[in-house]
Amino acid sequence: DSAASKIADLVREATQEKSQTERFITPFSRWYTQSVVILAALLAALPPLFGAGDFGIWLKRALIFLVASCPCALVISIPLTFYSVIGSASKKGALIKGSRHVETLAKIRNVVFDKTGTLTTGNLSVQEVRSLSALPEEEILRLAAVCENASAHPIAKAVTAKFGNPPSPDSSEEISGKGVRAIIRGKTYLCGSARLLKEEGISLDGAPESGLYLADETALLGYIQVGDTVKPEAKEALQELKALGVARTIMLTGDRAQAAETVRTQLGVDEARSNLLPQDKVTALRTVRETGLTAFVGDGINDGPVLAAADIGIAMGMGSDLATQTADIVLPGNRLTSIPAAIRACRKGMRIASQNITFILIIKAAVLILGALGYAPMWAAVFADVGTALLAVLNAMRVTRTD
């Protein structure tokens, strides 16, 4: 169950999944080989039967034809190109589960991201402290930290961490799902959600729609905005995706609209869709897929259905087993910059595979025709076989070079 064992399993899967190009080359080579053997036999036998020359001359031409037609260059270089892409991408932090995903990733048009744990760290932190009374902002933070000192809520922990080791209140009462009522130096304070303050008859005039509010028994004193922290490399990764020609970047989240918009603005995501349940994310992804090949990047168990529904599913890290097993690509290092690096490697690999196929077929066609007509010597046939194979292999190895 270790991370190393999981990576080993993914590597085994990667070597078994073939791309469309590889799946085409294998049956093509089988058909092609049978055809050229028959053509070579006909080339050696038919012309002498019709008095077009000596059998020895046509046998030599047939042998040249047979040597030049060998499909080894195609059979060796194309799989090697895809294996090189997988190796290059893995060095850059993206483990691709098979050659068939290389072709899809190279053509990707849209990239959809989960928010929490993917674009953000998942760790809450204080974003803003604002006073709506005569108290300074430092005092608002101190009072809120003292109130929240005994609470285990993630927002409470973010506030106390921002202040740093606050003292305990004289007494406190945690109101489930709403906040805390605490007594500090004989005075009662309320710290929590808008719902808590409204139930106590305290007006929220001048405050935003959401946040952690601090009030005494009569009026609102101030508020604190707590939000998720974006990953340091997230903005760079999104900029690289845009530079690669990705048409749209979209963020899906179950969080409220304001939190989603804050992250969208910070990172420059094209579009953010909020307040989504897991099934809503699948529906949203399907609408995006209508505009082109779409990759989804997620990390949690809730992202499993969306990863499966995407053209390419990308799982962050080695956390959730469901996400890792469902995804087509895994990022063991948990770095978003591995995604544009993998796209570059895939596009480079597809260019090289196309170059190799074109080069091999042109050389072979030229030597086959010239050999059948008697203008190509045996060394040309050897070059069309072994020479093109070596050149194609060397060209395929260029994928592993870091751009």
mmCIF file of all heavy atoms in Angstrom, residues 228-278:
data_model
loop_
_atom_site.group_PDB
_atom_site.id
_atom_site.type_symbol
_atom_site.label_atom_id
_atom_site.label_comp_id
_atom_site.label_asym_id
_atom_site.label_seq_id
_atom_site.Cartn_x
_atom_site.Cartn_y
_atom_site.Cartn_z
ATOM 1 N N ASP A 228 -8.996 30.211 1.802
ATOM 2 C CA ASP A 228 -8.006 29.206 1.451
ATOM 3 C C ASP A 228 -6.792 29.885 0.824
ATOM 4 O O ASP A 228 -6.928 30.886 0.110
ATOM 5 C CB ASP A 228 -8.628 28.218 0.450
ATOM 6 C CG ASP A 228 -7.971 26.855 0.529
ATOM 7 O OD1 ASP A 228 -6.910 26.758 1.168
ATOM 8 O OD2 ASP A 228 -8.512 25.910 -0.063
ATOM 9 N N THR A 229 -5.621 29.323 1.036
ATOM 10 C CA THR A 229 -4.388 29.881 0.479
ATOM 11 C C THR A 229 -4.089 29.221 -0.859
ATOM 12 O O THR A 229 -4.077 27.993 -0.961
ATOM 13 C CB THR A 229 -3.208 29.638 1.440
ATOM 14 O OG1 THR A 229 -3.539 30.140 2.726
ATOM 15 C CG2 THR A 229 -1.951 30.323 0.928
ATOM 16 N N VAL A 230 -3.848 30.050 -1.890
ATOM 17 C CA VAL A 230 -3.556 29.482 -3.212
ATOM 18 C C VAL A 230 -2.151 28.888 -3.210
ATOM 19 O O VAL A 230 -1.265 29.339 -2.487
ATOM 20 C CB VAL A 230 -3.682 30.549 -4.326
ATOM 21 C CG1 VAL A 230 -5.089 31.102 -4.380
ATOM 22 C CG2 VAL A 230 -2.669 31.659 -4.129
ATOM 23 N N LYS A 231 -1.956 27.869 -4.012
ATOM 24 C CA LYS A 231 -0.638 27.251 -4.121
ATOM 25 C C LYS A 231 0.318 28.218 -4.811
ATOM 26 O O LYS A 231 -0.060 28.905 -5.767
ATOM 27 C CB LYS A 231 -0.731 25.946 -4.912
ATOM 28 C CG LYS A 231 -1.431 24.838 -4.152
ATOM 29 C CD LYS A 231 -1.379 23.525 -4.895
ATOM 30 C CE LYS A 231 -1.998 22.413 -4.060
ATOM 31 N NZ LYS A 231 -1.975 21.117 -4.763
ATOM 32 N N PRO A 232 1.558 28.267 -4.356
ATOM 33 C CA PRO A 232 2.498 29.264 -4.892
ATOM 34 C C PRO A 232 2.764 29.123 -6.388
ATOM 35 O O PRO A 232 3.027 30.105 -7.072
ATOM 36 C CB PRO A 232 3.774 29.032 -4.077
ATOM 37 C CG PRO A 232 3.609 27.669 -3.463
ATOM 38 C CD PRO A 232 2.153 27.471 -3.284
ATOM 39 N N GLU A 233 2.671 27.881 -6.930
ATOM 40 C CA GLU A 233 2.975 27.694 -8.353
ATOM 41 C C GLU A 233 1.735 27.719 -9.233
ATOM 42 O O GLU A 233 1.826 27.580 -10.460
ATOM 43 C CB GLU A 233 3.714 26.358 -8.560
ATOM 44 C CG GLU A 233 2.829 25.121 -8.579
ATOM 45 C CD GLU A 233 2.456 24.601 -7.208
ATOM 46 O OE1 GLU A 233 2.780 25.277 -6.203
ATOM 47 O OE2 GLU A 233 1.829 23.531 -7.133
ATOM 48 N N ALA A 234 0.540 27.915 -8.627
ATOM 49 C CA ALA A 234 -0.715 27.801 -9.383
ATOM 50 C C ALA A 234 -0.814 28.859 -10.488
ATOM 51 O O ALA A 234 -1.187 28.554 -11.626
ATOM 52 C CB ALA A 234 -1.903 27.905 -8.444
ATOM 53 N N LYS A 235 -0.485 30.106 -10.170
ATOM 54 C CA LYS A 235 -0.606 31.178 -11.162
ATOM 55 C C LYS A 235 0.355 30.949 -12.320
ATOM 56 O O LYS A 235 0.001 31.145 -13.493
ATOM 57 C CB LYS A 235 -0.339 32.534 -10.510
ATOM 58 C CG LYS A 235 -0.645 33.720 -11.416
ATOM 59 C CD LYS A 235 -0.596 35.023 -10.656
ATOM 60 C CE LYS A 235 -1.020 36.185 -11.550
ATOM 61 N NZ LYS A 235 -1.036 37.469 -10.803
ATOM 62 N N GLU A 236 1.569 30.522 -12.011
ATOM 63 C CA GLU A 236 2.561 30.230 -13.065
ATOM 64 C C GLU A 236 2.065 29.111 -13.982
ATOM 65 O O GLU A 236 2.196 29.195 -15.212
ATOM 66 C CB GLU A 236 3.887 29.827 -12.417
ATOM 67 C CG GLU A 236 4.972 29.453 -13.418
ATOM 68 C CD GLU A 236 6.201 28.852 -12.757
ATOM 69 O OE1 GLU A 236 6.290 28.893 -11.508
ATOM 70 O OE2 GLU A 236 7.073 28.332 -13.492
ATOM 71 N N ALA A 237 1.479 28.070 -13.393
ATOM 72 C CA ALA A 237 0.975 26.949 -14.184
ATOM 73 C C ALA A 237 -0.138 27.397 -15.124
ATOM 74 O O ALA A 237 -0.175 26.998 -16.299
ATOM 75 C CB ALA A 237 0.474 25.840 -13.264
ATOM 76 N N LEU A 238 -1.045 28.229 -14.636
ATOM 77 C CA LEU A 238 -2.147 28.714 -15.464
ATOM 78 C C LEU A 238 -1.639 29.604 -16.592
ATOM 79 O O LEU A 238 -2.137 29.548 -17.723
ATOM 80 C CB LEU A 238 -3.146 29.481 -14.597
ATOM 81 C CG LEU A 238 -4.000 28.593 -13.676
ATOM 82 C CD1 LEU A 238 -4.605 29.407 -12.546
ATOM 83 C CD2 LEU A 238 -5.098 27.910 -14.477
ATOM 84 N N GLN A 239 -0.638 30.421 -16.316
ATOM 85 C CA GLN A 239 -0.052 31.263 -17.361
ATOM 86 C C GLN A 239 0.623 30.413 -18.444
ATOM 87 O O GLN A 239 0.527 30.720 -19.640
ATOM 88 C CB GLN A 239 0.958 32.238 -16.742
ATOM 89 C CG GLN A 239 0.315 33.329 -15.898
ATOM 90 C CD GLN A 239 1.328 34.177 -15.160
ATOM 91 O OE1 GLN A 239 2.499 33.798 -14.979
ATOM 92 N NE2 GLN A 239 0.917 35.342 -14.694
ATOM 93 N N GLU A 240 1.288 29.336 -18.022
ATOM 94 C CA GLU A 240 1.934 28.447 -18.985
ATOM 95 C C GLU A 240 0.896 27.740 -19.857
ATOM 96 O O GLU A 240 1.109 27.548 -21.059
ATOM 97 C CB GLU A 240 2.796 27.416 -18.249
ATOM 98 C CG GLU A 240 4.064 27.997 -17.638
ATOM 99 C CD GLU A 240 4.935 26.917 -17.018
ATOM 100 O OE1 GLU A 240 4.860 25.769 -17.467
ATOM 101 O OE2 GLU A 240 5.697 27.239 -16.088
ATOM 102 N N LEU A 241 -0.227 27.349 -19.259
ATOM 103 C CA LEU A 241 -1.285 26.708 -20.032
ATOM 104 C C LEU A 241 -1.824 27.658 -21.094
ATOM 105 O O LEU A 241 -2.075 27.252 -22.234
ATOM 106 C CB LEU A 241 -2.418 26.254 -19.106
ATOM 107 C CG LEU A 241 -2.117 25.050 -18.205
ATOM 108 C CD1 LEU A 241 -3.261 24.824 -17.224
ATOM 109 C CD2 LEU A 241 -1.883 23.793 -19.038
ATOM 110 N N LYS A 242 -2.004 28.919 -20.734
ATOM 111 C CA LYS A 242 -2.473 29.911 -21.710
ATOM 112 C C LYS A 242 -1.451 30.086 -22.825
ATOM 113 O O LYS A 242 -1.805 30.214 -24.001
ATOM 114 C CB LYS A 242 -2.722 31.251 -21.008
ATOM 115 C CG LYS A 242 -4.033 31.301 -20.240
ATOM 116 C CD LYS A 242 -5.205 31.170 -21.194
ATOM 117 C CE LYS A 242 -6.529 31.260 -20.478
ATOM 118 N NZ LYS A 242 -7.666 31.053 -21.411
ATOM 119 N N ALA A 243 -0.172 30.109 -22.457
ATOM 120 C CA ALA A 243 0.887 30.251 -23.464
ATOM 121 C C ALA A 243 0.925 29.064 -24.417
ATOM 122 O O ALA A 243 1.326 29.200 -25.576
ATOM 123 C CB ALA A 243 2.243 30.410 -22.767
ATOM 124 N N LEU A 244 0.484 27.893 -23.948
ATOM 125 C CA LEU A 244 0.450 26.693 -24.788
ATOM 126 C C LEU A 244 -0.786 26.649 -25.686
ATOM 127 O O LEU A 244 -0.943 25.721 -26.479
ATOM 128 C CB LEU A 244 0.484 25.436 -23.915
ATOM 129 C CG LEU A 244 1.823 25.126 -23.242
ATOM 130 C CD1 LEU A 244 1.657 24.008 -22.213
ATOM 131 C CD2 LEU A 244 2.867 24.726 -24.278
ATOM 132 N N GLY A 245 -1.664 27.635 -25.541
ATOM 133 C CA GLY A 245 -2.841 27.697 -26.401
ATOM 134 C C GLY A 245 -4.074 27.031 -25.838
ATOM 135 O O GLY A 245 -5.039 26.798 -26.577
ATOM 136 N N VAL A 246 -4.080 26.707 -24.541
ATOM 137 C CA VAL A 246 -5.290 26.149 -23.922
ATOM 138 C C VAL A 246 -6.383 27.219 -23.972
ATOM 139 O O VAL A 246 -6.184 28.351 -23.516
ATOM 140 C CB VAL A 246 -5.020 25.713 -22.463
ATOM 141 C CG1 VAL A 246 -6.308 25.357 -21.752
ATOM 142 C CG2 VAL A 246 -4.066 24.529 -22.451
ATOM 143 N N ALA A 247 -7.529 26.878 -24.531
ATOM 144 C CA ALA A 247 -8.576 27.862 -24.794
ATOM 145 C C ALA A 247 -9.230 28.387 -23.516
ATOM 146 O O ALA A 247 -9.436 29.594 -23.369
ATOM 147 C CB ALA A 247 -9.637 27.263 -25.719
ATOM 148 N N ARG A 248 -9.555 27.488 -22.585
ATOM 149 C CA ARG A 248 -10.280 27.897 -21.382
ATOM 150 C C ARG A 248 -9.742 27.190 -20.151
ATOM 151 O O ARG A 248 -9.428 25.995 -20.200
ATOM 152 C CB ARG A 248 -11.777 27.585 -21.517
ATOM 153 C CG ARG A 248 -12.491 28.320 -22.606
ATOM 154 C CD ARG A 248 -13.864 27.707 -22.868
ATOM 155 N NE ARG A 248 -14.787 27.911 -21.760
ATOM 156 C CZ ARG A 248 -15.911 27.215 -21.611
ATOM 157 N NH1 ARG A 248 -16.239 26.279 -22.463
ATOM 158 N NH2 ARG A 248 -16.717 27.474 -20.589
ATOM 159 N N THR A 249 -9.648 27.932 -19.049
ATOM 160 C CA THR A 249 -9.372 27.341 -17.748
ATOM 161 C C THR A 249 -10.576 27.644 -16.857
ATOM 162 O O THR A 249 -11.030 28.784 -16.780
ATOM 163 C CB THR A 249 -8.092 27.911 -17.117
ATOM 164 O OG1 THR A 249 -8.170 29.348 -17.091
ATOM 165 C CG2 THR A 249 -6.864 27.491 -17.914
ATOM 166 N N ILE A 250 -11.093 26.611 -16.200
ATOM 167 C CA ILE A 250 -12.332 26.727 -15.431
ATOM 168 C C ILE A 250 -12.127 26.099 -14.060
ATOM 169 O O ILE A 250 -11.475 25.055 -13.939
ATOM 170 C CB ILE A 250 -13.492 26.031 -16.168
ATOM 171 C CG1 ILE A 250 -13.705 26.684 -17.534
ATOM 172 C CG2 ILE A 250 -14.788 26.083 -15.359
ATOM 173 C CD1 ILE A 250 -14.525 25.860 -18.479
ATOM 174 N N MET A 251 -12.671 26.736 -13.034
ATOM 175 C CA MET A 251 -12.571 26.212 -11.672
ATOM 176 C C MET A 251 -13.955 25.799 -11.190
ATOM 177 O O MET A 251 -14.921 26.565 -11.303
ATOM 178 C CB MET A 251 -11.991 27.278 -10.736
ATOM 179 C CG MET A 251 -11.813 26.813 -9.301
ATOM 180 S SD MET A 251 -11.096 28.110 -8.259
ATOM 181 C CE MET A 251 -12.461 29.276 -8.184
ATOM 182 N N LEU A 252 -14.063 24.580 -10.665
ATOM 183 C CA LEU A 252 -15.314 24.078 -10.096
ATOM 184 C C LEU A 252 -15.131 23.904 -8.597
ATOM 185 O O LEU A 252 -14.119 23.353 -8.148
ATOM 186 C CB LEU A 252 -15.694 22.734 -10.718
ATOM 187 C CG LEU A 252 -15.783 22.668 -12.246
ATOM 188 C CD1 LEU A 252 -16.197 21.267 -12.682
ATOM 189 C CD2 LEU A 252 -16.756 23.702 -12.792
ATOM 190 N N THR A 253 -16.100 24.361 -7.810
ATOM 191 C CA THR A 253 -15.961 24.245 -6.359
ATOM 192 C C THR A 253 -17.331 24.187 -5.691
ATOM 193 O O THR A 253 -18.320 24.702 -6.219
ATOM 194 C CB THR A 253 -15.160 25.442 -5.788
ATOM 195 O OG1 THR A 253 -15.074 25.322 -4.367
ATOM 196 C CG2 THR A 253 -15.820 26.772 -6.141
ATOM 197 N N GLY A 254 -17.359 23.574 -4.541
ATOM 198 C CA GLY A 254 -18.568 23.559 -3.727
ATOM 199 C C GLY A 254 -18.653 24.758 -2.810
ATOM 200 O O GLY A 254 -19.654 24.946 -2.114
ATOM 201 N N ASP A 255 -17.616 25.599 -2.802
ATOM 202 C CA ASP A 255 -17.596 26.780 -1.941
ATOM 203 C C ASP A 255 -18.547 27.857 -2.448
ATOM 204 O O ASP A 255 -19.010 27.815 -3.591
ATOM 205 C CB ASP A 255 -16.177 27.348 -1.849
ATOM 206 C CG ASP A 255 -15.245 26.429 -1.072
ATOM 207 O OD1 ASP A 255 -15.742 25.441 -0.497
ATOM 208 O OD2 ASP A 255 -14.038 26.689 -1.057
ATOM 209 N N ARG A 256 -18.769 28.850 -1.619
ATOM 210 C CA ARG A 256 -19.654 29.950 -1.988
ATOM 211 C C ARG A 256 -19.024 30.798 -3.094
ATOM 212 O O ARG A 256 -17.809 30.764 -3.318
ATOM 213 C CB ARG A 256 -19.974 30.815 -0.765
ATOM 214 C CG ARG A 256 -18.767 31.525 -0.182
ATOM 215 C CD ARG A 256 -19.106 32.261 1.104
ATOM 216 N NE ARG A 256 -17.999 33.094 1.533
ATOM 217 C CZ ARG A 256 -16.983 32.692 2.245
ATOM 218 N NH1 ARG A 256 -16.913 31.432 2.609
ATOM 219 N NH2 ARG A 256 -16.014 33.533 2.592
ATOM 220 N N ALA A 257 -19.863 31.579 -3.752
ATOM 221 C CA ALA A 257 -19.440 32.343 -4.927
ATOM 222 C C ALA A 257 -18.336 33.341 -4.604
ATOM 223 O O ALA A 257 -17.401 33.527 -5.396
ATOM 224 C CB ALA A 257 -20.641 33.065 -5.534
ATOM 225 N N GLN A 258 -18.411 33.992 -3.450
ATOM 226 C CA GLN A 258 -17.420 35.012 -3.113
ATOM 227 C C GLN A 258 -16.028 34.405 -2.962
ATOM 228 O O GLN A 258 -15.041 34.954 -3.462
ATOM 229 C CB GLN A 258 -17.816 35.738 -1.822
ATOM 230 C CG GLN A 258 -16.876 36.889 -1.465
ATOM 231 C CD GLN A 258 -17.320 37.619 -0.208
ATOM 232 O OE1 GLN A 258 -18.419 37.392 0.290
ATOM 233 N NE2 GLN A 258 -16.473 38.487 0.312
ATOM 234 N N ALA A 259 -15.942 33.259 -2.280
ATOM 235 C CA ALA A 259 -14.645 32.595 -2.107
ATOM 236 C C ALA A 259 -14.097 32.138 -3.448
ATOM 237 O O ALA A 259 -12.890 32.260 -3.716
ATOM 238 C CB ALA A 259 -14.792 31.405 -1.163
ATOM 239 N N ALA A 260 -14.970 31.623 -4.307
ATOM 240 C CA ALA A 260 -14.535 31.166 -5.625
ATOM 241 C C ALA A 260 -14.034 32.332 -6.470
ATOM 242 O O ALA A 260 -13.014 32.225 -7.164
ATOM 243 C CB ALA A 260 -15.682 30.462 -6.335
ATOM 244 N N GLU A 261 -14.736 33.456 -6.410
ATOM 245 C CA GLU A 261 -14.341 34.619 -7.202
ATOM 246 C C GLU A 261 -13.008 35.190 -6.730
ATOM 247 O O GLU A 261 -12.199 35.663 -7.531
ATOM 248 C CB GLU A 261 -15.439 35.696 -7.118
ATOM 249 C CG GLU A 261 -15.186 36.931 -7.962
ATOM 250 C CD GLU A 261 -15.059 36.641 -9.442
ATOM 251 O OE1 GLU A 261 -15.587 35.609 -9.911
ATOM 252 O OE2 GLU A 261 -14.417 37.450 -10.153
ATOM 253 N N THR A 262 -12.763 35.135 -5.423
ATOM 254 C CA THR A 262 -11.486 35.616 -4.882
ATOM 255 C C THR A 262 -10.317 34.819 -5.453
ATOM 256 O O THR A 262 -9.315 35.385 -5.908
ATOM 257 C CB THR A 262 -11.487 35.515 -3.345
ATOM 258 O OG1 THR A 262 -12.534 36.328 -2.815
ATOM 259 C CG2 THR A 262 -10.154 35.983 -2.771
ATOM 260 N N VAL A 263 -10.453 33.492 -5.447
ATOM 261 C CA VAL A 263 -9.387 32.634 -5.985
ATOM 262 C C VAL A 263 -9.261 32.828 -7.498
ATOM 263 O O VAL A 263 -8.155 32.891 -8.033
ATOM 264 C CB VAL A 263 -9.671 31.156 -5.642
ATOM 265 C CG1 VAL A 263 -8.655 30.238 -6.319
ATOM 266 C CG2 VAL A 263 -9.633 30.941 -4.140
ATOM 267 N N ARG A 264 -10.387 32.932 -8.182
ATOM 268 C CA ARG A 264 -10.362 33.132 -9.643
ATOM 269 C C ARG A 264 -9.602 34.394 -10.002
ATOM 270 O O ARG A 264 -8.776 34.405 -10.925
ATOM 271 C CB ARG A 264 -11.795 33.217 -10.184
ATOM 272 C CG ARG A 264 -11.864 33.203 -11.716
ATOM 273 C CD ARG A 264 -13.159 33.758 -12.229
ATOM 274 N NE ARG A 264 -13.241 35.194 -12.029
ATOM 275 C CZ ARG A 264 -12.634 36.075 -12.809
ATOM 276 N NH1 ARG A 264 -11.888 35.686 -13.826
ATOM 277 N NH2 ARG A 264 -12.750 37.361 -12.563
ATOM 278 N N THR A 265 -9.847 35.475 -9.262
ATOM 279 C CA THR A 265 -9.183 36.750 -9.531
ATOM 280 C C THR A 265 -7.694 36.667 -9.231
ATOM 281 O O THR A 265 -6.861 37.181 -9.986
ATOM 282 C CB THR A 265 -9.829 37.870 -8.690
ATOM 283 O OG1 THR A 265 -11.235 37.905 -8.965
ATOM 284 C CG2 THR A 265 -9.216 39.219 -9.025
ATOM 285 N N GLN A 266 -7.348 36.022 -8.123
ATOM 286 C CA GLN A 266 -5.938 35.897 -7.745
ATOM 287 C C GLN A 266 -5.124 35.157 -8.796
ATOM 288 O O GLN A 266 -3.982 35.531 -9.089
ATOM 289 C CB GLN A 266 -5.814 35.170 -6.405
ATOM 290 C CG GLN A 266 -6.131 36.010 -5.185
ATOM 291 C CD GLN A 266 -5.961 35.218 -3.904
ATOM 292 O OE1 GLN A 266 -6.605 34.199 -3.681
ATOM 293 N NE2 GLN A 266 -5.080 35.680 -3.050
ATOM 294 N N LEU A 267 -5.701 34.105 -9.371
ATOM 295 C CA LEU A 267 -4.944 33.224 -10.263
ATOM 296 C C LEU A 267 -5.154 33.529 -11.741
ATOM 297 O O LEU A 267 -4.394 33.058 -12.583
ATOM 298 C CB LEU A 267 -5.319 31.760 -9.999
ATOM 299 C CG LEU A 267 -5.011 31.240 -8.591
ATOM 300 C CD1 LEU A 267 -5.452 29.797 -8.454
ATOM 301 C CD2 LEU A 267 -3.515 31.367 -8.290
ATOM 302 N N GLY A 268 -6.192 34.278 -12.078
ATOM 303 C CA GLY A 268 -6.468 34.555 -13.480
ATOM 304 C C GLY A 268 -7.175 33.428 -14.201
ATOM 305 O O GLY A 268 -7.010 33.257 -15.414
ATOM 306 N N VAL A 269 -7.978 32.637 -13.467
ATOM 307 C CA VAL A 269 -8.774 31.575 -14.093
ATOM 308 C C VAL A 269 -9.869 32.231 -14.929
ATOM 309 O O VAL A 269 -10.455 33.239 -14.533
ATOM 310 C CB VAL A 269 -9.393 30.652 -13.025
ATOM 311 C CG1 VAL A 269 -10.192 29.542 -13.669
ATOM 312 C CG2 VAL A 269 -8.304 30.082 -12.133
ATOM 313 N N ASP A 270 -10.150 31.670 -16.110
ATOM 314 C CA ASP A 270 -11.138 32.277 -17.003
ATOM 315 C C ASP A 270 -12.540 32.286 -16.408
ATOM 316 O O ASP A 270 -13.283 33.254 -16.573
ATOM 317 C CB ASP A 270 -11.175 31.523 -18.350
ATOM 318 C CG ASP A 270 -9.885 31.697 -19.131
ATOM 319 O OD1 ASP A 270 -9.242 32.751 -18.965
ATOM 320 O OD2 ASP A 270 -9.514 30.783 -19.886
ATOM 321 N N GLU A 271 -12.914 31.218 -15.721
ATOM 322 C CA GLU A 271 -14.291 31.091 -15.246
ATOM 323 C C GLU A 271 -14.322 30.282 -13.960
ATOM 324 O O GLU A 271 -13.541 29.337 -13.793
ATOM 325 C CB GLU A 271 -15.140 30.386 -16.317
ATOM 326 C CG GLU A 271 -16.598 30.232 -15.980
ATOM 327 C CD GLU A 271 -17.364 29.489 -17.062
ATOM 328 O OE1 GLU A 271 -16.824 29.318 -18.176
ATOM 329 O OE2 GLU A 271 -18.508 29.052 -16.780
ATOM 330 N N ALA A 272 -15.203 30.668 -13.031
ATOM 331 C CA ALA A 272 -15.368 29.930 -11.773
ATOM 332 C C ALA A 272 -16.844 29.586 -11.589
ATOM 333 O O ALA A 272 -17.709 30.445 -11.759
ATOM 334 C CB ALA A 272 -14.874 30.757 -10.593
ATOM 335 N N ARG A 273 -17.119 28.322 -11.255
ATOM 336 C CA ARG A 273 -18.485 27.880 -10.976
ATOM 337 C C ARG A 273 -18.522 27.366 -9.547
ATOM 338 O O ARG A 273 -17.760 26.463 -9.187
ATOM 339 C CB ARG A 273 -18.916 26.799 -11.965
ATOM 340 C CG ARG A 273 -18.827 27.269 -13.421
ATOM 341 C CD ARG A 273 -19.355 26.238 -14.389
ATOM 342 N NE ARG A 273 -19.105 26.641 -15.774
ATOM 343 C CZ ARG A 273 -19.514 25.949 -16.838
ATOM 344 N NH1 ARG A 273 -20.200 24.825 -16.670
ATOM 345 N NH2 ARG A 273 -19.235 26.374 -18.051
ATOM 346 N N SER A 274 -19.416 27.929 -8.739
ATOM 347 C CA SER A 274 -19.418 27.681 -7.293
ATOM 348 C C SER A 274 -20.694 26.971 -6.843
ATOM 349 O O SER A 274 -21.611 26.740 -7.637
ATOM 350 C CB SER A 274 -19.259 29.003 -6.547
ATOM 351 O OG SER A 274 -20.271 29.919 -6.954
ATOM 352 N N ASN A 275 -20.720 26.645 -5.540
ATOM 353 C CA ASN A 275 -21.876 25.986 -4.902
ATOM 354 C C ASN A 275 -22.265 24.686 -5.621
ATOM 355 O O ASN A 275 -23.451 24.398 -5.808
ATOM 356 C CB ASN A 275 -23.073 26.938 -4.852
ATOM 357 C CG ASN A 275 -22.786 28.186 -4.033
ATOM 358 O OD1 ASN A 275 -22.347 28.087 -2.894
ATOM 359 N ND2 ASN A 275 -22.998 29.354 -4.622
ATOM 360 N N LEU A 276 -21.274 23.900 -6.036
ATOM 361 C CA LEU A 276 -21.533 22.677 -6.794
ATOM 362 C C LEU A 276 -21.385 21.437 -5.922
ATOM 363 O O LEU A 276 -20.408 21.296 -5.174
ATOM 364 C CB LEU A 276 -20.559 22.562 -7.974
ATOM 365 C CG LEU A 276 -20.588 23.687 -9.022
ATOM 366 C CD1 LEU A 276 -19.510 23.440 -10.070
ATOM 367 C CD2 LEU A 276 -21.953 23.774 -9.677
ATOM 368 N N LEU A 277 -22.342 20.535 -6.032
ATOM 369 C CA LEU A 277 -22.218 19.211 -5.439
ATOM 370 C C LEU A 277 -21.424 18.327 -6.403
ATOM 371 O O LEU A 277 -21.233 18.703 -7.572
ATOM 372 C CB LEU A 277 -23.613 18.616 -5.210
ATOM 373 C CG LEU A 277 -24.504 19.364 -4.209
ATOM 374 C CD1 LEU A 277 -25.905 18.772 -4.219
ATOM 375 C CD2 LEU A 277 -23.902 19.342 -2.807
ATOM 376 N N PRO A 278 -20.916 17.151 -5.954
ATOM 377 C CA PRO A 278 -20.131 16.296 -6.857
ATOM 378 C C PRO A 278 -20.839 15.990 -8.175
ATOM 379 O O PRO A 278 -20.218 16.013 -9.239
ATOM 380 C CB PRO A 278 -19.922 15.025 -6.022
ATOM 381 C CG PRO A 278 -19.910 15.513 -4.617
ATOM 382 C CD PRO A 278 -20.916 16.630 -4.571
#
